Amino acid sequence: MKNIVDKFLPFDLGNEADYRAWREQKLLAYPTRIEELIVEIKNPQQLTSAEFEALHERCRKTNMVIYAGPTGSDPDKAIPKSLGKQFGLTELDCNMGADDDGVTSLKVVEGKWRSGYIPYTNRPIHWHTDGYYNLPERQIHGLQLHCVSAAASGGENALLDHEIAYIHLRDTNPDYIRALMAANVMTIPPNNENGEQLRPARSGPVFSVLEDGSLHMRYTARTRSIEWSPDPVTRAAVEALNDFLDSSSHYIYRATLQPGQGLISNNVLHDRSGFDDDDEHTRQLYRLRYYQRIAGT
Ligand SMILES: [Fe+2]
């Protein structure tokens, strides 16, 4: 246990004093309206210092911000990439669906392997954090979305700061946190296709504390292709989390990103409603997954 002596340890269940102090600061003037999270910017590739500070301040408070830029349906991937870079987000995860540059274009794709994966359909996606099936050393700590074009209807994202989910569960029952921090509480079975194993089974905790002391969350609300530890406390913890995610809590934000808008986040919890495209409105979002958190948060 080196390097943690004298550190502030709010996520340590044995340290109630640090938790209480952190919790009080966290909830003090915490934004409860999505409008408070939206920051207008003039040039995403070169933020002014006032714009940067407005975006960064929200990220420090809620682990996320929504920017509204003037680029409309400009499909240049340099727009979200250079924006991410200004927040220290540079190490992109090259997942299976990403183009060579690590940027994934999310839109409805017919007839390719991608159509078997819900992100490439117009179906709803349950609550999750990104990359929950990644290796422990390849966890996603930063997540960015950038809207190029919106659907004719639907395609709304719900967003919840994972630190708020932690507070809700710890306040309900600290044993829930203990259960969800267990090293093998959530297992994703292997991904097999046509007899070939694309990914082995992956086990890991839901909540973990990173070396810098920040909280990481790995979660999916899907009920198929997921195995939870069978003990009653874990079951109750997962149920309490799902109840909170399905509630009308004012901590849950909802936003339908419009062209030129995007999300910068520390991989907060999110879902997506189903949507419909038409001839003039084809939803397209860029997704950028990073191994880093937003710098200075
Ligand atoms: Fe996602």
Side-chain angles (χ1 to χ4, degrees):
M1 299 288 271
K2 58 178 171 31
N3 295 334
I4 59 168
V5 182
D6 297 334
K7 261 197 181 176
F8 187 56
L9 299 170
F11 304 118
D12 180 346
L13 281 172
N15 195 331
E16 192 64 13
D18 282 5
Y19 173 63
R20 287 287 143 200
W22 170 80
R23 182 188 180 284
E24 190 181 330
Q25 276 307 306
K26 175 80 187 178
L27 298 180
L28 186 70
Y30 193 91
T32 54
R33 291 166 44 248
I34 184 73
E35 291 78 13
E36 297 173 72
L37 283 200
I38 302 172
V39 175
E40 284 202 29
I41 57 173
K42 289 214 169 65
N43 178 2
Q45 308 215 44
Q46 201 172 2
L47 297 171
T48 65
S49 52
E51 289 170 345
F52 176 85
E53 183 46 34
L55 290 157
H56 199 257
E57 183 193 0
R58 284 158 181 82
C59 293
R60 290 196 302 272
K61 186 71 183 175
T62 64
N63 283 306
M64 69 186 112
V65 68
I66 289 172
Y67 60 86
T71 57
S73 291
D74 185 343
D76 189 354
K77 291 177 177 175
I79 296 165
K81 276 182 101 165
S82 62
L83 193 48
K85 199 172 164 191
Q86 292 168 77
F87 290 87
L89 299 171
T90 52
E91 271 186 63
L92 281 158
D93 175 52
C94 291
N95 60 87
M96 212 161 36
D99 294 339
D100 288 344
D101 56 8
V103 179
T104 303
S105 177
L106 295 174
K107 57 180 175 181
V108 176
V109 179
E110 309 276 358
K112 294 187 191 165
W113 66 266
R114 284 189 171 101
S115 61
Y117 292 82
I118 294 175
Y120 304 100
T121 71
N122 63 353
R123 297 203 293 274
I125 305 176
H126 291 305
W127 284 99
H128 65 282
T129 57
D130 270 38
Y132 55 83
Y133 37 73
N134 281 21
L135 281 167
E137 62 273 25
R138 285 271 177 266
Q139 286 294 299
I140 303 303
H141 297 130
L143 171 67
Q144 215 186 328
L145 296 172
H146 178 80
C147 178
V148 176
S149 50
S153 65
E156 179 187 75
N157 288 113
L159 301 159
L160 174 66
D161 181 347
H162 56 296
E163 292 178 357
I164 294 290
Y166 177 96
I167 290 172
H168 175 77
L169 292 170
R170 184 159 169 175
D171 288 357
T172 306
N173 184 348
D175 286 342
Y176 289 171
I177 298 296
R178 197 167 286 116
L180 295 178
M181 287 186 123
N184 55 1
V185 67
M186 185 175 101
T187 300
I188 317 300
N191 181 7
N192 295 321
E193 212 169 273
N194 305 322
E196 190 195 348
Q197 191 178 84
L198 301 177
R199 177 181 36 70
R202 297 266 160 79
S203 287
V206 170
F207 290 114
S208 53
V209 180
L210 305 180
E211 253 177 47
D212 66 1
S214 60
L215 185 74
H216 176 57
M217 187 173 188
R218 175 179 165 272
Y219 183 69
T220 173
R222 64 185 300 174
T223 50
R224 276 191 317 131
S225 301
I226 172 125
E227 287 160 16
W228 289 98
S229 293
D231 64 282
V233 180
T234 299
R235 300 231 166 237
V238 173
E239 205 177 302
L241 176 55
N242 285 331
D243 285 350
F244 187 49
L245 295 172
D246 289 338
S247 75
S248 53
S249 167
H250 57 246
Y251 289 117
I252 297 174
Y253 307 116
R254 291 177 200 282
T256 306
L257 294 176
Q258 299 302 311
Q261 297 186 346
L263 169 81
I264 303 172
S265 82
N266 284 325
N267 197 7
V268 294
L269 286 155
H270 56 286
D271 78 359
R272 184 194 76 190
S273 70
F275 63 88
D276 286 305
D277 287 339
D278 63 20
D279 292 345
E280 276 125 62
H281 306 90
T282 305
R283 188 177 191 267
Q284 186 183 8
L285 256 71
Y286 288 141
R287 180 186 66 201
L288 299 86
R289 292 170 165 170
Y290 301 93
Y291 299 129
Q292 303 130 314
R293 282 170 59 87
I294 299 162
T297 60

